[in-house]
Amino acid sequence: MSEKIGKILAVDDNEDILISLKLLLKQHVELVHTEKDPQKIPELLKDTHYDVILLDMNFSSDMISGKEGFFWLQRILEIDPDAVVIFITAFGDVEKAVRAVHSGATDFVLKPWQNEKLIATVNSGVILRRSKSEAFALRERQQGLSDAYDQPFHDFIGVSEEMQRVFKTIKKVAKTDASVLILGENGTGKELVARALHRNSNRKGNFLSVDLGSISETLFESELFGHVKGAYTDAKKDRPGRFEIASGGTLFLDEIGNLSLPLQAKLLTVIEKGEVIRVGSNKHIPVDVRLICATNIPVHQLSKEKKFRQDLLYRINTIEIHLPPLRERVEDISLLANHFLQRLVKKYGKSVSGISKSAMKKLEMYNWPGNVRELQHAIERAIILSESSYLEPGDFLLSASSKGTEEFVIETYNLEEVEKKTIEKVIRKYKGNITQAARELGLTRTSLYRRLEKYGL
């Protein structure tokens, strides 16, 4: 084993054997745990993920039959069906060891062992375990994809008229190859629309998302169109761009309104010709992508101001989908909040049962400048910090003023004055209830009392 990989558990009632195993294996693996008492196996497996378990076939209570070894093999496999168990056995127990392999053990090692043989067997066991783990993860991802495809809009939900219109448009457009431009504020779910379009399309290729706002002008061509080895200093090998990788599938270009005019021209050329030329090459590579773009910038106004090419705008918006801000679809807030609640209580293992009526009213009165994304973060933060079975108004620390409430006007930039005024406002809001006021301010009761004393409140 050239590098230290794998976590090993060795269980044997012979202290000398455990010491020998540890001295030998610690040179080759990242972790070796040894244990004399097999009764501790369930607890050890609960606390640590082991790649290989080296298990004695006979313990002190039963020195000959191997029944204890078989018993603990079955217990291990009950706890972890994919466990890799290697028996350590005396020469005369080979027949039992072979039977153990048929019962679920991976292999066996004879006492006294040859060091090279033992190391090779453990190494093979580590590789087997990791292959099993990778296969399981792949099955999980495939199941996730399958589940996602069974739900046309997945996390994209809403009962409002505005959202029903969006869903109808997606259903009409998805099966076509028409380019789509998605317009909406940050956090409204533009990428969810793009994924829903791809999921309900006939395209079998990849869905690839690119945030154009995060790609510098100097790397734009390399990222989107690819490059060949030696095209520039850091180009160590040929690399396909996003258009090539997404060929046969869908390419989602987010924040397209941020592109400069020169980059818009380069993008337009690729869209019109249906081919890319990698940086440093003259070879034309045909690409077949369904293009979906999105922006939170008023791109039509930019076009009128000559800041966004009109011919590119025509190319990317055969169909336009406008996503309404959350404040314009208040009837969806409770649906979304409960959806996020159910998902996040599972994620964090919390026992939060629901959101109180007064808390939901607070959510519905809020303006949500960050839209659905902000709502999700607010629910997540409240679940993490909550110590009760229902989320209450004080669990939601919302940053902006609510609809229909007095606005918080800052008349000074003196930080102490701003803090004093904020505390006064929250104390009035909760009619002097220190616990609720402290929770909304993100302070402990002691910290709030200290500030009240400081400002003479």
Side-chain angles (χ1 to χ4, degrees):
M1 296 164 71
S2 58
E3 61 174 313
K4 291 188 176 184
I5 61 168
K7 296 180 180 180
I8 312 300
L9 172 63
V11 186
D12 196 301
D13 61 345
N14 188 319
E15 185 75 35
D16 292 337
I17 285 178
L18 292 179
I19 292 171
S20 298
L21 285 170
K22 189 156 193 174
L23 288 173
L24 174 63
L25 293 176
K26 72 178 185 179
Q27 304 172 56
H28 304 276
V29 299
E30 57 188 297
L31 177 70
V32 183
H33 277 170
T34 58
E35 178 55 55
K36 288 181 64 178
D37 183 3
Q39 299 291 336
K40 293 183 179 178
I41 288 175
E43 184 181 348
L44 289 167
L45 296 184
K46 177 183 174 184
D47 294 338
T48 307
H49 171 94
Y50 294 102
D51 293 297
V52 172
I53 300 168
L54 291 167
L55 181 66
D56 188 18
M57 182 154 274
N58 294 298
F59 292 90
S60 56
S61 64
D62 180 3
M63 296 293 290
I64 300 173
S65 72
K67 286 181 180 178
E68 274 193 300
F70 281 98
F71 171 79
W72 286 111
L73 170 64
Q74 294 309 312
R75 284 289 289 118
I76 290 167
L77 294 176
E78 285 171 11
I79 297 168
D80 181 1
D82 288 328
V84 173
V85 180
I86 298 173
F87 270 118
I88 308 172
T89 183
F91 182 78
D93 289 330
V94 170
E95 184 181 340
K96 296 187 188 77
V98 171
R99 189 153 45 91
V101 171
H102 290 297
S103 299
T106 301
D107 206 341
F108 62 91
V109 173
L110 292 175
K111 301 176 187 175
W113 59 77
Q114 295 178 347
N115 288 351
E116 295 78 7
K117 169 69 173 173
L118 176 64
I119 293 166
T121 303
V122 170
N123 186 29
S124 297
V126 170
I127 293 171
L128 175 62
R129 174 65 190 216
R130 300 207 166 181
S131 297
K132 286 183 177 183
S133 298
E134 289 171 5
F136 177 77
L138 179 61
R139 287 195 301 271
E140 289 275 287
R141 287 197 297 270
Q142 288 173 337
Q143 184 60 49
L145 287 171
S146 175
D147 292 345
Y149 275 83
D150 288 342
Q151 304 174 52
F153 301 115
H154 200 32
D155 273 346
F156 194 42
I157 57 177
V159 293
S160 62
E161 285 187 25
E162 294 85 352
M163 292 309 298
Q164 291 305 310
R165 282 197 292 270
V166 170
F167 296 150
K168 286 179 183 177
T169 303
I170 292 173
K171 287 179 180 178
K172 289 178 181 178
V173 175
K175 300 295 184 185
T176 75
D177 274 345
S179 59
V180 179
L181 176 62
I182 307 166
L183 303 175
E185 295 179 7
N186 282 332
T188 49
K190 296 187 286 295
E191 184 166 341
L192 289 177
V193 174
R195 289 185 180 277
L197 286 164
H198 176 73
R199 195 157 44 239
N200 291 277
S201 74
N202 295 320
R203 290 191 159 255
K204 305 300 181 185
N206 297 319
F207 173 90
L208 198 63
S209 175
V210 183
D211 181 2
L212 296 178
S214 66
I215 298 177
S216 67
E217 295 227 359
T218 53
L219 292 176
F220 176 83
E221 287 184 85
S222 174
E223 288 292 324
L224 266 68
F225 313 142
H227 63 249
V228 296
K229 182 179 179 181
Y232 52 89
T233 305
D234 292 327
K236 306 297 185 185
K237 59 181 180 180
D238 289 2
R239 180 186 171 196
R242 308 297 178 88
F243 270 86
E244 281 185 70
I245 297 170
S247 191
T250 302
L251 183 62
F252 175 54
L253 300 181
D254 199 7
E255 304 301 343
I256 196 168
N258 292 329
L259 284 185
S260 66
L261 287 169
L263 297 186
Q264 291 175 33
K266 291 174 181 178
L267 178 60
L268 178 62
T269 300
V270 170
I271 295 172
E272 288 180 333
K273 294 185 176 180
E275 60 185 25
V276 296
I277 302 174
R278 293 185 183 181
V279 177
S281 170
N282 293 318
K283 182 181 178 181
H284 295 250
I285 302 173
V287 290
D288 170 28
V289 298
R290 201 274 181 82
L291 195 65
I292 301 175
C293 300
T295 182
N296 63 340
I297 296 174
V299 70
H300 288 283
Q301 183 60 37
L302 290 181
S303 179
K304 290 178 181 177
E305 297 170 359
K306 308 298 183 185
K307 295 178 182 176
F308 196 92
R309 294 181 63 111
Q310 195 172 57
D311 46 2
L312 176 59
L313 185 56
Y314 289 149
R315 283 284 183 176
I316 64 175
N317 78 330
T318 303
I319 302 293
E320 277 189 16
I321 295 178
H322 294 258
L323 279 181
L326 190 54
R327 61 184 172 275
E328 292 180 8
R329 51 184 186 112
V330 177
E331 58 267 53
D332 290 337
I333 290 176
S334 62
L335 179 70
L336 287 163
N338 284 305
H339 169 74
F340 293 137
L341 179 82
Q342 291 173 16
R343 196 175 70 186
L344 292 167
V345 291
K346 290 180 182 177
K347 176 180 177 180
Y348 293 108
K350 301 282 281 190
S351 57
V352 178
S353 303
I355 304 171
S356 71
K357 289 184 179 180
S358 55
M360 190 65 75
K361 186 67 176 176
K362 179 176 182 177
L363 298 182
E364 290 175 343
M365 290 295 293
Y366 182 59
N367 280 311
W368 299 110
N371 293 293
V372 180
R373 186 184 297 126
E374 186 185 0
L375 173 61
Q376 180 178 348
H377 290 168
I379 299 291
E380 185 167 15
R381 182 171 58 243
I383 288 171
I384 291 171
L385 298 177
S386 176
E387 296 178 355
S388 61
S389 58
Y390 271 81
L391 298 182
E392 299 294 342
D395 292 315
F396 295 98
L397 310 177
L398 305 178
S399 58
S401 61
S402 299
K403 293 174 281 189
T405 63
E406 80 174 282
E407 291 206 357
F408 188 5
V409 180
I410 298 176
E411 300 169 339
T412 175
Y413 292 104
N414 181 288
L415 292 178
E416 289 195 347
E417 285 298 316
V418 171
E419 183 177 61
K420 179 181 177 181
K421 186 170 182 179
T422 302
I423 291 171
E424 285 179 326
K425 184 175 186 294
V426 175
I427 290 291
R428 284 199 307 273
K429 176 180 176 180
Y430 289 107
K431 299 177 182 178
N433 187 310
I434 298 298
T435 300
Q436 290 181 326
R439 183 183 295 138
E440 174 137 343
L441 289 164
L443 300 171
T444 63
R445 284 166 53 92
T446 303
S447 297
L448 180 53
Y449 275 125
R450 195 178 298 125
R451 284 168 172 78
L452 290 173
E453 184 178 353
K454 173 183 176 181
Y455 297 123
L457 298 175

